[in-house]
Amino acid sequence: QVQLVESGGGLVQAGDSLKLSCRASGRPFSNYAMGWFRQAPGKNNNESVAAISWSGVTTLYSDSARGRFIISRDNAENTVNLQMSSLKPEDTAVYYCAAGLWAIASLKQSEYGAWGQGIQVTVAS
């Protein structure tokens, strides 16, 4: 079983940058893909944000994240990061780190088996 702990959230202004990190433990980190998802206020569903393959070679982004967010991973440190730039108020959400069931990157929630507790990101206009 893998445990995930997110860090780096907070309150920022529109246009600012913010970096989220997620540290994993409990299973060899390099065996599986990692992803970031978010849940906006008042919404019941999670939205995919970005995903990265086990090696870091393949990255996937949602339309809303592409061009502004960068996902990366450090297998030696068991961490995955999400560098967010040009933040908008609509990026306000609880962001979740997730560990994939497989090594291949995916934006589908069903292909993730472990989730962090979530971290709040608030972007003020």
Side-chain angles (χ1 to χ4, degrees), residues 13 18 20 29 35-36 38-39 41 44 49 57 62 64 67 71-73 83 88 99 104 111-113 121-122:
Q13 298 295 315
L18 193 65
L20 303 182
F29 184 68
W36 286 96
R38 67 187 184 186
Q39 187 171 63
N44 293 326
V49 177
V57 170
S62 66
S64 61
I71 188 171
S72 63
R73 67 187 295 162
Q83 178 67 52
K88 306 173 183 179
I104 299 172
E111 299 195 3
Y112 290 82
V121 172
T122 303

Side-chain angles (χ1 to χ4, degrees), residues 37-47 93-94 96 109 115:
F37 296 81
R38 67 187 184 186
Q39 187 171 63
K43 295 191 176 182
N44 293 326
N45 60 307
N46 283 353
E47 173 192 2
V94 176
Y96 297 90
Q109 291 186 61
W115 296 78

Side-chain angles (χ1 to χ4, degrees), residues 31-70:
N31 285 4
Y32 46 91
M34 295 293 296
W36 286 96
F37 296 81
R38 67 187 184 186
Q39 187 171 63
K43 295 191 176 182
N44 293 326
N45 60 307
N46 283 353
E47 173 192 2
S48 61
V49 177
I52 188 166
S53 64
W54 70 276
S55 64
V57 170
T58 301
T59 55
L60 303 174
Y61 296 94
S62 66
D63 289 344
S64 61
R66 190 176 298 112
R68 298 188 300 126
F69 296 1
I70 298 174

Side-chain angles (χ1 to χ4, degrees), residues 12 52 82 107:
V12 296
I52 188 166
L82 185 69
L107 292 174

Side-chain angles (χ1 to χ4, degrees), residues 8-11 18 20 39 41 91-95 118-123:
L11 171 64
L18 193 65
L20 303 182
Q39 187 171 63
D91 293 317
T92 295
V94 176
Y95 284 71
I119 193 162
Q120 179 70 46
V121 172
T122 303
V123 184

